[in-house]
mmCIF file of all heavy atoms in Angstrom:
data_model
loop_
_atom_site.group_PDB
_atom_site.id
_atom_site.type_symbol
_atom_site.label_atom_id
_atom_site.label_comp_id
_atom_site.label_asym_id
_atom_site.label_seq_id
_atom_site.Cartn_x
_atom_site.Cartn_y
_atom_site.Cartn_z
ATOM 1 N N LEU A 1331 -13.919 2.643 4.070
ATOM 2 C CA LEU A 1331 -14.332 1.811 5.303
ATOM 3 C C LEU A 1331 -14.231 0.346 5.124
ATOM 4 O O LEU A 1331 -13.748 -0.296 6.084
ATOM 5 C CB LEU A 1331 -15.691 2.344 5.591
ATOM 6 C CG LEU A 1331 -16.316 1.718 6.999
ATOM 7 C CD1 LEU A 1331 -15.466 1.842 8.110
ATOM 8 C CD2 LEU A 1331 -17.750 2.195 7.166
ATOM 9 N N LYS A 1332 -14.630 -0.088 3.993
ATOM 10 C CA LYS A 1332 -14.475 -1.602 3.693
ATOM 11 C C LYS A 1332 -12.972 -1.917 3.876
ATOM 12 O O LYS A 1332 -12.669 -3.055 4.417
ATOM 13 C CB LYS A 1332 -14.988 -1.908 2.326
ATOM 14 C CG LYS A 1332 -14.942 -3.404 2.009
ATOM 15 C CD LYS A 1332 -15.721 -4.225 2.992
ATOM 16 C CE LYS A 1332 -15.785 -5.694 2.532
ATOM 17 N NZ LYS A 1332 -14.544 -6.459 2.469
ATOM 18 N N GLY A 1333 -12.075 -1.121 3.263
ATOM 19 C CA GLY A 1333 -10.672 -1.386 3.433
ATOM 20 C C GLY A 1333 -10.172 -1.306 4.732
ATOM 21 O O GLY A 1333 -9.321 -2.087 5.172
ATOM 22 N N TYR A 1334 -10.677 -0.448 5.611
ATOM 23 C CA TYR A 1334 -10.398 -0.298 7.005
ATOM 24 C C TYR A 1334 -10.719 -1.738 7.610
ATOM 25 O O TYR A 1334 -9.929 -2.333 8.371
ATOM 26 C CB TYR A 1334 -11.116 0.830 7.672
ATOM 27 C CG TYR A 1334 -10.734 0.894 9.207
ATOM 28 C CD1 TYR A 1334 -9.834 1.866 9.556
ATOM 29 C CD2 TYR A 1334 -11.478 0.250 10.101
ATOM 30 C CE1 TYR A 1334 -9.547 1.993 10.926
ATOM 31 C CE2 TYR A 1334 -11.236 0.474 11.489
ATOM 32 C CZ TYR A 1334 -10.277 1.363 11.778
ATOM 33 O OH TYR A 1334 -9.954 1.566 13.187
ATOM 34 N N ILE A 1335 -11.935 -2.182 7.428
ATOM 35 C CA ILE A 1335 -12.348 -3.433 7.975
ATOM 36 C C ILE A 1335 -11.527 -4.583 7.495
ATOM 37 O O ILE A 1335 -11.058 -5.447 8.298
ATOM 38 C CB ILE A 1335 -13.856 -3.660 7.745
ATOM 39 C CG1 ILE A 1335 -14.641 -2.679 8.606
ATOM 40 C CG2 ILE A 1335 -14.295 -5.102 8.098
ATOM 41 C CD1 ILE A 1335 -16.050 -2.514 8.225
ATOM 42 N N ASP A 1336 -11.305 -4.701 6.185
ATOM 43 C CA ASP A 1336 -10.406 -5.654 5.672
ATOM 44 C C ASP A 1336 -9.122 -5.831 6.341
ATOM 45 O O ASP A 1336 -8.562 -6.857 6.525
ATOM 46 C CB ASP A 1336 -10.096 -5.450 4.119
ATOM 47 C CG ASP A 1336 -11.317 -5.682 3.263
ATOM 48 O OD1 ASP A 1336 -12.308 -6.287 3.705
ATOM 49 O OD2 ASP A 1336 -11.261 -5.248 2.029
ATOM 50 N N ARG A 1337 -8.479 -4.592 6.555
ATOM 51 C CA ARG A 1337 -7.034 -4.553 7.047
ATOM 52 C C ARG A 1337 -7.100 -4.654 8.697
ATOM 53 O O ARG A 1337 -6.211 -5.386 9.169
ATOM 54 C CB ARG A 1337 -6.380 -3.321 6.708
ATOM 55 C CG ARG A 1337 -6.123 -3.314 5.173
ATOM 56 C CD ARG A 1337 -5.245 -2.210 4.829
ATOM 57 N NE ARG A 1337 -3.894 -2.390 5.343
ATOM 58 C CZ ARG A 1337 -3.169 -1.335 5.746
ATOM 59 N NH1 ARG A 1337 -3.566 -0.121 5.665
ATOM 60 N NH2 ARG A 1337 -1.956 -1.591 6.258
ATOM 61 N N VAL A 1338 -7.942 -3.917 9.298
ATOM 62 C CA VAL A 1338 -7.864 -3.851 10.783
ATOM 63 C C VAL A 1338 -8.566 -5.027 11.404
ATOM 64 O O VAL A 1338 -8.081 -5.471 12.512
ATOM 65 C CB VAL A 1338 -8.473 -2.494 11.262
ATOM 66 C CG1 VAL A 1338 -8.440 -2.333 12.776
ATOM 67 C CG2 VAL A 1338 -7.658 -1.255 10.619
ATOM 68 N N PHE A 1339 -9.690 -5.414 10.918
ATOM 69 C CA PHE A 1339 -10.457 -6.595 11.641
ATOM 70 C C PHE A 1339 -9.869 -7.872 11.126
ATOM 71 O O PHE A 1339 -10.633 -8.698 10.501
ATOM 72 C CB PHE A 1339 -11.869 -6.481 11.286
ATOM 73 C CG PHE A 1339 -12.568 -5.294 12.010
ATOM 74 C CD1 PHE A 1339 -11.864 -4.252 12.539
ATOM 75 C CD2 PHE A 1339 -13.976 -5.284 12.177
ATOM 76 C CE1 PHE A 1339 -12.547 -3.164 13.208
ATOM 77 C CE2 PHE A 1339 -14.645 -4.281 12.803
ATOM 78 C CZ PHE A 1339 -13.929 -3.219 13.325
ATOM 79 N N SER A 1340 -8.629 -8.060 11.286
ATOM 80 C CA SER A 1340 -7.862 -9.086 10.712
ATOM 81 C C SER A 1340 -8.005 -10.519 11.550
ATOM 82 O O SER A 1340 -8.401 -10.364 12.661
ATOM 83 C CB SER A 1340 -6.383 -8.836 10.557
ATOM 84 O OG SER A 1340 -5.929 -8.585 11.809
ATOM 85 N N TYR A 1341 -7.721 -11.650 10.858
ATOM 86 C CA TYR A 1341 -7.757 -12.858 11.583
ATOM 87 C C TYR A 1341 -6.630 -12.764 12.726
ATOM 88 O O TYR A 1341 -5.690 -12.395 12.535
ATOM 89 C CB TYR A 1341 -7.312 -14.013 10.577
ATOM 90 C CG TYR A 1341 -7.335 -15.361 11.206
ATOM 91 C CD1 TYR A 1341 -8.513 -15.983 11.185
ATOM 92 C CD2 TYR A 1341 -6.307 -15.919 11.665
ATOM 93 C CE1 TYR A 1341 -8.611 -17.302 11.865
ATOM 94 C CE2 TYR A 1341 -6.303 -17.206 12.298
ATOM 95 C CZ TYR A 1341 -7.560 -17.877 12.424
ATOM 96 O OH TYR A 1341 -7.641 -19.028 12.981
ATOM 97 N N GLY A 1342 -7.078 -13.410 13.836
ATOM 98 C CA GLY A 1342 -6.262 -13.331 14.937
ATOM 99 C C GLY A 1342 -6.451 -12.068 15.856
ATOM 100 O O GLY A 1342 -6.034 -12.019 17.075
ATOM 101 N N PHE A 1343 -6.979 -10.995 15.308
ATOM 102 C CA PHE A 1343 -7.409 -9.873 16.044
ATOM 103 C C PHE A 1343 -8.894 -9.711 16.251
ATOM 104 O O PHE A 1343 -9.356 -9.735 17.402
ATOM 105 C CB PHE A 1343 -6.820 -8.577 15.500
ATOM 106 C CG PHE A 1343 -7.420 -7.325 16.124
ATOM 107 C CD1 PHE A 1343 -6.729 -6.895 17.287
ATOM 108 C CD2 PHE A 1343 -8.382 -6.569 15.548
ATOM 109 C CE1 PHE A 1343 -7.373 -5.800 17.927
ATOM 110 C CE2 PHE A 1343 -8.984 -5.435 16.230
ATOM 111 C CZ PHE A 1343 -8.330 -5.096 17.463
ATOM 112 N N ALA A 1344 -9.690 -9.854 15.194
ATOM 113 C CA ALA A 1344 -11.090 -9.614 15.315
ATOM 114 C C ALA A 1344 -11.846 -11.032 15.330
ATOM 115 O O ALA A 1344 -13.004 -11.031 15.927
ATOM 116 C CB ALA A 1344 -11.621 -8.790 14.122
ATOM 117 N N TYR A 1345 -11.216 -12.038 14.847
ATOM 118 C CA TYR A 1345 -11.921 -13.369 14.815
ATOM 119 C C TYR A 1345 -10.842 -14.399 14.514
ATOM 120 O O TYR A 1345 -9.733 -14.110 14.219
ATOM 121 C CB TYR A 1345 -12.926 -13.400 13.618
ATOM 122 C CG TYR A 1345 -12.258 -13.456 12.246
ATOM 123 C CD1 TYR A 1345 -12.112 -14.616 11.591
ATOM 124 C CD2 TYR A 1345 -11.832 -12.254 11.724
ATOM 125 C CE1 TYR A 1345 -11.437 -14.613 10.376
ATOM 126 C CE2 TYR A 1345 -11.205 -12.263 10.411
ATOM 127 C CZ TYR A 1345 -11.073 -13.448 9.750
ATOM 128 O OH TYR A 1345 -10.460 -13.470 8.546
ATOM 129 N N LYS A 1346 -11.167 -15.619 14.930
ATOM 130 C CA LYS A 1346 -10.300 -16.729 14.626
ATOM 131 C C LYS A 1346 -11.172 -17.982 14.489
ATOM 132 O O LYS A 1346 -12.374 -17.907 14.756
ATOM 133 C CB LYS A 1346 -9.377 -16.957 15.801
ATOM 134 C CG LYS A 1346 -9.881 -17.372 17.075
ATOM 135 C CD LYS A 1346 -8.782 -17.599 18.128
ATOM 136 C CE LYS A 1346 -9.443 -18.159 19.440
ATOM 137 N NZ LYS A 1346 -8.492 -18.435 20.375
ATOM 138 N N TYR A 1347 -10.537 -19.144 14.217
ATOM 139 C CA TYR A 1347 -11.227 -20.395 14.151
ATOM 140 C C TYR A 1347 -10.704 -21.454 15.168
ATOM 141 O O TYR A 1347 -9.454 -21.579 15.137
ATOM 142 C CB TYR A 1347 -11.261 -21.027 12.678
ATOM 143 C CG TYR A 1347 -11.964 -20.295 11.767
ATOM 144 C CD1 TYR A 1347 -11.410 -19.385 10.935
ATOM 145 C CD2 TYR A 1347 -13.377 -20.289 11.700
ATOM 146 C CE1 TYR A 1347 -12.004 -18.657 10.022
ATOM 147 C CE2 TYR A 1347 -14.088 -19.585 10.768
ATOM 148 C CZ TYR A 1347 -13.349 -18.665 9.930
ATOM 149 O OH TYR A 1347 -14.048 -17.861 9.037
ATOM 150 N N ASP A 1348 -11.519 -22.001 15.993
ATOM 151 C CA ASP A 1348 -11.026 -23.028 16.998
ATOM 152 C C ASP A 1348 -11.645 -24.234 16.521
ATOM 153 O O ASP A 1348 -12.926 -24.421 16.570
ATOM 154 C CB ASP A 1348 -11.452 -22.706 18.515
ATOM 155 C CG ASP A 1348 -10.588 -21.689 19.024
ATOM 156 O OD1 ASP A 1348 -9.421 -21.548 18.572
ATOM 157 O OD2 ASP A 1348 -11.003 -21.092 20.153
ATOM 158 N N ASP A 1349 -10.827 -25.271 16.010
ATOM 159 C CA ASP A 1349 -11.374 -26.563 15.551
ATOM 160 C C ASP A 1349 -12.454 -26.426 14.427
ATOM 161 O O ASP A 1349 -13.495 -26.915 14.669
ATOM 162 C CB ASP A 1349 -11.845 -27.376 16.736
ATOM 163 C CG ASP A 1349 -10.751 -27.847 17.666
ATOM 164 O OD1 ASP A 1349 -9.658 -28.032 17.153
ATOM 165 O OD2 ASP A 1349 -10.978 -27.804 18.886
ATOM 166 N N GLY A 1350 -12.333 -25.515 13.638
ATOM 167 C CA GLY A 1350 -13.247 -25.135 12.467
ATOM 168 C C GLY A 1350 -14.479 -24.296 12.922
ATOM 169 O O GLY A 1350 -15.263 -24.025 12.115
ATOM 170 N N VAL A 1351 -14.521 -23.896 14.289
ATOM 171 C CA VAL A 1351 -15.664 -23.072 14.734
ATOM 172 C C VAL A 1351 -15.155 -21.568 14.782
ATOM 173 O O VAL A 1351 -14.111 -21.273 15.452
ATOM 174 C CB VAL A 1351 -16.128 -23.479 16.127
ATOM 175 C CG1 VAL A 1351 -17.247 -22.656 16.660
ATOM 176 C CG2 VAL A 1351 -16.659 -24.996 15.913
ATOM 177 N N GLN A 1352 -15.890 -20.729 14.228
ATOM 178 C CA GLN A 1352 -15.581 -19.309 14.148
ATOM 179 C C GLN A 1352 -15.792 -18.692 15.600
ATOM 180 O O GLN A 1352 -16.800 -19.039 16.252
ATOM 181 C CB GLN A 1352 -16.432 -18.556 13.135
ATOM 182 C CG GLN A 1352 -16.133 -17.053 13.013
ATOM 183 C CD GLN A 1352 -17.059 -16.306 13.928
ATOM 184 O OE1 GLN A 1352 -18.097 -16.688 14.363
ATOM 185 N NE2 GLN A 1352 -16.595 -15.106 14.465
ATOM 186 N N VAL A 1353 -14.865 -17.901 16.049
ATOM 187 C CA VAL A 1353 -14.874 -17.225 17.296
ATOM 188 C C VAL A 1353 -14.725 -15.745 17.146
ATOM 189 O O VAL A 1353 -13.705 -15.296 16.514
ATOM 190 C CB VAL A 1353 -13.886 -17.784 18.333
ATOM 191 C CG1 VAL A 1353 -13.913 -17.000 19.632
ATOM 192 C CG2 VAL A 1353 -14.051 -19.191 18.510
ATOM 193 N N GLY A 1354 -15.619 -14.932 17.512
ATOM 194 C CA GLY A 1354 -15.489 -13.422 17.503
ATOM 195 C C GLY A 1354 -14.622 -12.972 18.631
ATOM 196 O O GLY A 1354 -14.929 -13.234 19.840
ATOM 197 N N LEU A 1355 -13.550 -12.320 18.389
ATOM 198 C CA LEU A 1355 -12.571 -11.932 19.436
ATOM 199 C C LEU A 1355 -12.846 -10.585 19.967
ATOM 200 O O LEU A 1355 -12.265 -10.082 20.975
ATOM 201 C CB LEU A 1355 -11.160 -12.023 18.854
ATOM 202 C CG LEU A 1355 -10.605 -13.392 18.415
ATOM 203 C CD1 LEU A 1355 -9.270 -13.292 17.766
ATOM 204 C CD2 LEU A 1355 -10.734 -14.389 19.586
ATOM 205 N N LEU A 1356 -13.875 -9.931 19.438
ATOM 206 C CA LEU A 1356 -14.164 -8.590 19.892
ATOM 207 C C LEU A 1356 -15.528 -8.608 20.726
ATOM 208 O O LEU A 1356 -16.064 -7.577 20.959
ATOM 209 C CB LEU A 1356 -14.324 -7.588 18.699
ATOM 210 C CG LEU A 1356 -13.059 -7.457 17.949
ATOM 211 C CD1 LEU A 1356 -13.318 -6.445 16.695
ATOM 212 C CD2 LEU A 1356 -11.899 -6.898 18.778
ATOM 213 N N ALA A 1357 -15.743 -9.718 21.290
ATOM 214 C CA ALA A 1357 -16.957 -9.935 22.181
ATOM 215 C C ALA A 1357 -16.719 -9.035 23.332
ATOM 216 O O ALA A 1357 -15.659 -8.740 23.784
ATOM 217 C CB ALA A 1357 -17.033 -11.365 22.596
ATOM 218 N N GLY A 1358 -17.929 -8.487 23.820
ATOM 219 C CA GLY A 1358 -17.923 -7.621 25.003
ATOM 220 C C GLY A 1358 -18.040 -6.144 24.515
ATOM 221 O O GLY A 1358 -18.147 -5.295 25.251
ATOM 222 N N LYS A 1359 -17.759 -5.845 23.223
ATOM 223 C CA LYS A 1359 -17.864 -4.531 22.720
ATOM 224 C C LYS A 1359 -19.121 -4.348 22.017
ATOM 225 O O LYS A 1359 -19.758 -5.235 21.374
ATOM 226 C CB LYS A 1359 -16.678 -4.306 21.721
ATOM 227 C CG LYS A 1359 -15.328 -4.395 22.288
ATOM 228 C CD LYS A 1359 -14.193 -4.095 21.281
ATOM 229 C CE LYS A 1359 -12.834 -4.271 21.869
ATOM 230 N NZ LYS A 1359 -12.678 -3.330 22.944
ATOM 231 N N LYS A 1360 -19.538 -3.022 22.053
ATOM 232 C CA LYS A 1360 -20.880 -2.803 21.312
ATOM 233 C C LYS A 1360 -20.449 -1.882 20.120
ATOM 234 O O LYS A 1360 -19.422 -1.279 19.979
ATOM 235 C CB LYS A 1360 -21.647 -1.820 22.216
ATOM 236 C CG LYS A 1360 -22.304 -2.670 23.409
ATOM 237 C CD LYS A 1360 -23.287 -1.846 24.172
ATOM 238 C CE LYS A 1360 -23.842 -2.807 25.255
ATOM 239 N NZ LYS A 1360 -25.015 -2.242 25.956
ATOM 240 N N ALA A 1361 -21.382 -1.982 19.152
ATOM 241 C CA ALA A 1361 -21.176 -1.167 17.842
ATOM 242 C C ALA A 1361 -22.558 -0.488 17.543
ATOM 243 O O ALA A 1361 -23.613 -1.036 17.780
ATOM 244 C CB ALA A 1361 -20.835 -2.089 16.664
ATOM 245 N N THR A 1362 -22.386 0.830 17.114
ATOM 246 C CA THR A 1362 -23.535 1.528 16.549
ATOM 247 C C THR A 1362 -23.179 1.965 15.106
ATOM 248 O O THR A 1362 -21.985 2.453 14.898
ATOM 249 C CB THR A 1362 -23.821 2.695 17.384
ATOM 250 O OG1 THR A 1362 -24.175 2.204 18.685
ATOM 251 C CG2 THR A 1362 -24.977 3.519 16.870
ATOM 252 N N LEU A 1363 -24.112 1.790 14.206
ATOM 253 C CA LEU A 1363 -23.897 2.282 12.830
ATOM 254 C C LEU A 1363 -24.792 3.465 12.541
ATOM 255 O O LEU A 1363 -25.964 3.430 13.026
ATOM 256 C CB LEU A 1363 -24.214 1.180 11.914
ATOM 257 C CG LEU A 1363 -23.292 -0.053 12.047
ATOM 258 C CD1 LEU A 1363 -23.995 -1.159 12.799
ATOM 259 C CD2 LEU A 1363 -22.835 -0.551 10.715
ATOM 260 N N ILE A 1364 -24.232 4.429 11.896
ATOM 261 C CA ILE A 1364 -25.106 5.550 11.487
ATOM 262 C C ILE A 1364 -24.716 5.839 9.974
ATOM 263 O O ILE A 1364 -23.642 6.147 9.696
ATOM 264 C CB ILE A 1364 -24.765 6.823 12.273
ATOM 265 C CG1 ILE A 1364 -24.905 6.649 13.775
ATOM 266 C CG2 ILE A 1364 -25.683 7.964 11.801
ATOM 267 C CD1 ILE A 1364 -24.393 7.744 14.724
ATOM 268 N N HIS A 1365 -25.701 5.628 9.117
ATOM 269 C CA HIS A 1365 -25.379 5.863 7.726
ATOM 270 C C HIS A 1365 -26.519 6.631 7.047
ATOM 271 O O HIS A 1365 -27.640 6.661 7.544
ATOM 272 C CB HIS A 1365 -25.094 4.492 6.959
ATOM 273 C CG HIS A 1365 -26.273 3.785 6.389
ATOM 274 N ND1 HIS A 1365 -26.810 2.648 6.964
ATOM 275 C CD2 HIS A 1365 -27.029 4.117 5.346
ATOM 276 C CE1 HIS A 1365 -27.816 2.156 6.250
ATOM 277 N NE2 HIS A 1365 -28.070 3.068 5.253
ATOM 278 N N THR A 1366 -25.962 7.333 6.023
ATOM 279 C CA THR A 1366 -26.982 8.195 5.297
ATOM 280 C C THR A 1366 -27.112 7.487 3.855
ATOM 281 O O THR A 1366 -26.181 6.722 3.429
ATOM 282 C CB THR A 1366 -26.397 9.645 5.079
ATOM 283 O OG1 THR A 1366 -25.166 9.562 4.469
ATOM 284 C CG2 THR A 1366 -26.298 10.361 6.438
ATOM 285 N N GLN A 1367 -28.171 7.767 3.276
ATOM 286 C CA GLN A 1367 -28.440 7.245 1.934
ATOM 287 C C GLN A 1367 -29.385 8.068 1.253
ATOM 288 O O GLN A 1367 -30.204 8.853 1.771
ATOM 289 C CB GLN A 1367 -29.052 5.757 2.067
ATOM 290 C CG GLN A 1367 -30.434 5.710 2.660
ATOM 291 C CD GLN A 1367 -30.876 4.386 3.055
ATOM 292 O OE1 GLN A 1367 -30.013 3.408 3.440
ATOM 293 N NE2 GLN A 1367 -32.155 4.024 2.779
ATOM 294 N N ASN A 1368 -29.431 8.062 -0.146
ATOM 295 C CA ASN A 1368 -30.250 8.934 -0.911
ATOM 296 C C ASN A 1368 -31.585 8.387 -1.228
ATOM 297 O O ASN A 1368 -32.546 9.082 -1.314
ATOM 298 C CB ASN A 1368 -29.490 9.398 -2.243
ATOM 299 C CG ASN A 1368 -28.430 10.265 -1.993
ATOM 300 O OD1 ASN A 1368 -28.452 11.018 -1.093
ATOM 301 N ND2 ASN A 1368 -27.302 10.145 -2.825
ATOM 302 N N LYS A 1369 -31.717 7.023 -1.275
ATOM 303 C CA LYS A 1369 -33.102 6.466 -1.416
ATOM 304 C C LYS A 1369 -33.764 6.335 -0.083
ATOM 305 O O LYS A 1369 -33.182 6.496 0.926
ATOM 306 C CB LYS A 1369 -32.907 4.980 -1.914
ATOM 307 C CG LYS A 1369 -32.664 4.908 -3.395
ATOM 308 C CD LYS A 1369 -32.875 3.502 -3.854
ATOM 309 C CE LYS A 1369 -32.748 3.320 -5.349
ATOM 310 N NZ LYS A 1369 -32.947 2.061 -5.787
ATOM 311 N N SER A 1370 -35.076 6.297 -0.155
ATOM 312 C CA SER A 1370 -35.873 6.146 1.055
ATOM 313 C C SER A 1370 -35.668 4.754 1.646
ATOM 314 O O SER A 1370 -35.392 3.794 0.947
ATOM 315 C CB SER A 1370 -37.353 6.431 0.721
ATOM 316 O OG SER A 1370 -37.795 5.381 0.078
#
């Protein structure tokens, strides 16, 4: 999954910098995370 993010959420697709200011290019989208873990 980390490799997916490294490759797919690339500069110019998922984010960019305008005059040194970071801009998220996937604005308007929602995300939900569901993860399992062994510790409490």
Side-chain angles (χ1 to χ4, degrees):
L1331 180 54
K1332 180 60 170 69
Y1334 181 93
I1335 289 168
D1336 287 349
R1337 294 188 66 215
V1338 175
F1339 289 20
S1340 61
Y1341 183 83
F1343 172 74
Y1345 70 99
K1346 69 177 182 176
Y1347 294 99
D1348 279 340
D1349 295 323
V1351 177
Q1352 179 274 332
V1353 178
L1355 299 176
L1356 300 176
K1359 296 182 181 299
K1360 293 187 178 195
T1362 297
L1363 299 101
I1364 306 169
H1365 87 252
T1366 59
Q1367 63 189 41
N1368 288 328
K1369 281 191 174 184
S1370 71

